[in-house]
Amino acid sequence: MLYNTIMNYLNNKYDVIVVGAGHAGCEAALSCARLGLKVLLATLNIDNIALQPCNPAIGGPAKSTLVREIAALGGEMGEAADATYIQMKMLNSSKGPAVRALRAQSDKKEYSDYMRHLLEKTNNIYLRQACITDLIVKDGEITGAVDEFGIEYSVRAAVLTTGTSLAGKIFVGLKSYSAGRLGEQAAIGLSDSLRKLGINLKKLKTGTPPRVDSRTIDYSKMEIQPGDEVLNFYSFKPNRPVRKQYPCYLTRTNEETHNIIRANLDKSPMFQGLIQGVGPRYCPSIEDKVVRFHENPSHHIFIEPEGLGTYEVYIQGFSSSLPADVQIKMLRTLPGLEKAHVIKPAYAVEYDYVPAIQTTHSLMSKQVKGLFFAGQINGTSGYEEAAAQGLIAGINAFNYLNHSEMLELSRSSSYIGTLIDDLVTKDIQDPYRMLTSRSEYRLLLRQDNADERLTPIGHKIGLVDEAQFNIFKIKQENIAKEIARLKEEKVPANDDTNSILAKYGEHIDRGMKLAELLKRPNITYNIIKELHPQTQKLNISRDVYEQAEVMIKYDGYLKRQEFQVEQAGKLDKFKIPENIDYMSIEHISSETKEKLNKIRPKTLAQASRIGGVKPADISVLMVILEKHQFAIKN
Ligand SMILES: Cc1cc2nc3c(=O)[nH]c(=O)nc-3n(C[C@H](O)[C@H](O)[C@H](O)COP(=O)(O)OP(=O)(O)OC[C@H]3O[C@@H](n4cnc5c(N)ncnc54)[C@H](O)[C@@H]3O)c2cc1C
């Protein structure tokens, strides 16, 4: 056995190669290895594992739900964020539960070290600093990969997570050079190898702001943004680390900043057409914001520490591709940054990506068996989106090699399912970022119930261990018990009750069940504790009562959304055969036929989500499927 392992290692023989140790690559490698595969994790620079090349933060709107879903399935991003935060903040805490979002300001270096040590400690993962330039495919199946020195690795599956490195080109003003990120080479060669396999590549662009020396900033001119006093975490595991928190700061652009930007647009590679790739719509550069929202006299700029061991701070909201000298002038117009010393310039990067309509919901290529894509290479933007895909691609690389059923999460189960369905169904043209508005079921898909939705799946796969699964089961039982108790126990309508209720603008004329009272918009679980000493005494843990509160308060909305899921499920049951000839179907426009032919949806539900496919087209398809007895109905 040991001899075989050593021989395989010397022969460069692995089950799977993961190309890239960014956020997608780390999750992919860890899930494959934890499921028992022998993994080669090849990356351009071993010192940049799980690097956060843009903002030093994990989470935020919609992204926090992805991180909790990753944690619920047994992935690592949430654990790493909990272990290395320097600030925790629950955004939108006064709003409804569907849009509440945790954001962890990270110590970048610590986060990267955490992941590197974990990869090094994990059995079955072999790290290697190498640039993969070619893939070997035999009879439509992946069999190997080759690095820049011509070393060949024999594999049975591959997960490509190349981020912004594939044929990457960096722009600072009108100057450009080959690089995937500042200070890291571009990945040259692999794009051509993919093209030879019949895979289509396109270009996208993204950008990052400058980094400034904290010692040259006058924070007294800015608004302080502290972390939360009551902490929340990503992981569902107990005993989360309580760490010292550090503040961020808020400043604003002004007319002078905007004038400098407008006067220098002729030096912008974007505005001069040097960059062909489309940039992130929801994360525009400062010059984009000034031009597109010209009526806006000022934009928020946040100053975020990059970590405890450095003076480097991140200038959130100031992403730019203007020349370095112009950037300094712009920055020094911001209150508090008049004497700013720039450590790293802002830059834009253009890179190749593989439009994900060429992959299935499992994230496996439609052209090459055993070849998976995850992260920025699929046209997304963001660490959380990347990690979520990496986890699914890793699990499915294992499923592929084991001849098991692929894990394909539905839209109604998770943001991860929604993200992947959007990627493989809609022909994404600009970097895709997760937003709550992308989900039609956002009230069901909350960060607080990610474990309820996904932990049983993670346990079944083998990534959630017995200890975590038991904690999960006990929590679910306690939530059910607490809901039952709140539906049973009452407060009397007396002076004591009403004097407390009056503080919150409420009054009752008859004794009322706690659950009924909790449904009132002004009443929270904490007020119930104040009103009802027995509830106070029970000392129910926060994760349990918060869930119970949401489930009681939003019961009506949740039921409506569950009904919606049921309705949508009906179209899901209409499976479309793989060999259907769309071009021969009558009564559908040729444009729609071409779209259906390109994306080849698996179900009528997926077909209905393709941009431009009309309800009338779905009716035609439904009739055809029924007529030819293609439909599999329950
Ligand atoms: C300049 C810049 C700006 C960004 N702006 C934003 C933003 O505004 N908003 C946002 O949400 N996200 C932004 N990001 C994106 C964020 O960094 C990525 O979305 C996220 O890191 C993607 O994760 P990933 O795992 O797909 O790729 P990455 O984290 O980029 O990791 C890719 C890894 O693959 C390795 N690699 C690539 N090719 C090869 C090869 N051939 N052989 C071996 N190794 C290879 C690289 O070394 C790297 O380690 C930005 C990134 C950059 C660089």
Side-chain angles (χ1 to χ4, degrees), residues 18-26 42-46 48-55 63 128-134 160-166 170 180-182 184-188 190 205-209 211 280 282-284 314 316 319 347-349 351 374-378 380-387 389 432-433:
V18 175
V19 180
H23 303 280
C26 288
T43 198
L44 293 177
N45 184 347
I46 288 284
N48 284 346
I49 285 174
L51 184 75
Q52 296 173 21
C54 203
N55 59 326
K63 289 165 177 272
R128 189 167 175 100
Q129 182 156 313
C131 178
I132 299 301
T133 52
D134 203 3
L160 302 193
T161 68
T162 52
T164 52
S165 305
L166 214 52
I170 280 183
R181 310 188 275 210
L182 202 65
E184 195 177 275
Q185 71 186 86
I188 306 295
L190 197 53
K205 167 252 162 185
T206 187
T208 194
R211 312 306 198 263
Y282 303 100
C283 225
Y314 176 88
Q316 159 93 292
S319 160
Y347 65 95
V349 58
Y351 54 94
Q376 196 108 0
I377 191 172
N378 278 339
T380 57
S381 154
Y383 314 134
E384 304 79 359
E385 289 83 349
Q389 294 167 67
Y432 180 103
R433 173 184 172 172

Side-chain angles (χ1 to χ4, degrees), residues 492-527:
N494 57 25
D495 287 350
D496 286 349
T497 302
N498 277 321
S499 73
I500 295 174
L501 282 176
K503 287 195 289 179
Y504 306 102
E506 293 285 350
H507 181 89
I508 54 173
D509 295 323
R510 55 177 174 84
M512 201 172 265
K513 298 262 168 70
L514 300 178
E516 199 184 342
L517 198 53
L518 195 52
K519 277 184 189 274
R520 294 192 176 183
N522 293 340
I523 303 295
T524 63
Y525 188 92
N526 281 326
I527 299 174

Side-chain angles (χ1 to χ4, degrees), residues 352-383:
D352 284 349
Y353 80 107
V354 174
I357 54 167
Q358 299 168 91
T359 69
T360 67
H361 282 84
S362 68
L363 294 181
M364 187 163 85
S365 160
K366 287 178 182 169
Q367 288 101 327
V368 180
K369 283 193 186 138
L371 177 61
F372 293 80
F373 298 99
Q376 196 108 0
I377 191 172
N378 278 339
T380 57
S381 154
Y383 314 134

Side-chain angles (χ1 to χ4, degrees), residues 98-110:
V99 292
R100 278 175 215 152
L102 188 60
R103 187 173 191 270
Q105 201 71 43
S106 277
D107 184 311
K108 261 187 192 180
K109 175 86 176 58
E110 255 194 276

